Amino acid sequence: MKTVSYEALQAEQAWMIVSDQLQQRNNVLAKGISHMERNPTELPMASRLMILRYHLKMSLRQLTHEARQQARTPEDTNRLHQQWLHVHQLFFLLRQIDAELNRASHENNTLRTWLDSLEGRVYRSALVHLN
């Protein structure tokens, strides 16, 4: 029987929170793209959001692949460290996505108005849970 440490549970909880936040950003980007595509003058911003969403998905795919490769190693000594490293990489990606989305919304009134109409919970900070 394998015991689970409190530290491992904390790392797992942090991973679930940041993963949830990234999924929410993916959903916001998808809806934002659809919203911007309704107006032909907003197609450049829709394209920008598509690129951002592509970056999110490709980065997640790469980080997940790397984490799976690390998990295959039998030694447990570095496993907790690797879990936290993965969580912090995901959180860095989340901050990148938020920064780009924020920059885009400052440059585009339609996007800013639409984002302001969303529920604020989508942008609750995961930072509190990761520290």
Side-chain angles (χ1 to χ4, degrees):
M1 185 167 128
K2 190 174 181 179
T3 59
V4 177
S5 70
Y6 179 73
E7 291 80 14
L9 289 173
Q10 282 183 310
E12 185 68 21
Q13 176 70 14
W15 178 83
M16 289 186 333
I17 290 168
V18 75
S19 295
D20 179 60
Q21 292 290 306
L22 287 166
Q23 183 59 49
Q24 288 179 14
R25 295 321 184 274
N26 183 49
N27 293 341
V28 166
L29 287 169
K31 291 174 184 174
I33 292 164
S34 294
H35 181 75
M36 300 307 279
E37 285 176 334
R38 292 183 194 134
N39 184 344
T41 62
E42 299 296 347
L43 290 180
M45 183 53 71
S47 294
R48 185 171 170 182
L49 295 179
M50 282 180 192
I51 292 168
L52 187 55
R53 188 169 185 228
Y54 178 81
H55 169 67
L56 171 62
K57 287 182 164 226
M58 290 293 101
S59 297
L60 277 175
R61 190 170 290 158
Q62 179 183 357
L63 289 171
T64 301
H65 175 73
E66 290 170 6
R68 283 187 182 136
Q69 296 293 0
Q70 293 287 338
R72 289 191 181 129
T73 59
E75 71 266 0
D76 277 346
T77 54
N78 285 336
R79 183 147 305 151
L80 185 61
H81 174 73
Q82 292 299 326
Q83 281 180 292
W84 277 112
L85 180 63
H86 183 62
V87 167
H88 286 287
Q89 289 171 325
L90 291 173
F91 184 66
F92 180 76
L93 176 60
L94 176 65
R95 288 188 0 224
Q96 279 184 317
I97 297 299
D98 281 351
E100 285 302 315
L101 200 50
N102 190 35
R103 190 173 300 124
S105 72
H106 278 77
E107 295 172 16
N108 185 290
N109 289 333
T110 305
L111 180 61
R112 182 173 46 252
T113 302
W114 179 76
L115 284 171
D116 288 346
S117 74
L118 297 178
E119 291 183 36
R121 69 175 181 82
V122 172
Y123 289 101
R124 69 187 158 99
S125 174
L127 181 60
V128 173
H129 300 286
L130 294 177
N131 287 333

